[in-house]
Amino acid sequence: MPDEISIQEAQGNLKDLIAGLAPGAELVITDHERPVAKLVAEVAKPSDKSAKRQGGQLKGQIAIAADFDELPSDIAEAFGAGDQ
């Protein structure tokens, strides 16, 4: 499916254009080669049986600090878990 379509082409094919969009895909509608609208497919919901969840999209992009599990002393003290 093209990323761009003229408004004249889109008018008669809107139903098919919507059905052909993948979740999250966008289609720009132009009038005389100028963008005038954007058709965006709804992102599939996890409850949608046709869309399988796939993990790992952020692999290597998220880092957890080495001291993540350490509670700062002032916070620990406020919860009564500090050195007594």
Side-chain angles (χ1 to χ4, degrees), residues 9-48:
E9 293 175 287
Q11 282 178 331
N13 302 314
L14 188 58
K15 187 174 181 176
D16 293 333
L17 291 172
I18 292 171
L21 282 177
E26 298 180 353
L27 178 64
V28 176
I29 300 173
T30 61
D31 188 16
H32 300 290
E33 298 182 16
R34 286 187 11 249
V36 293
K38 187 185 297 184
L39 186 60
V40 181
E42 183 178 21
V43 177
K45 296 176 182 68
S47 62
D48 185 358

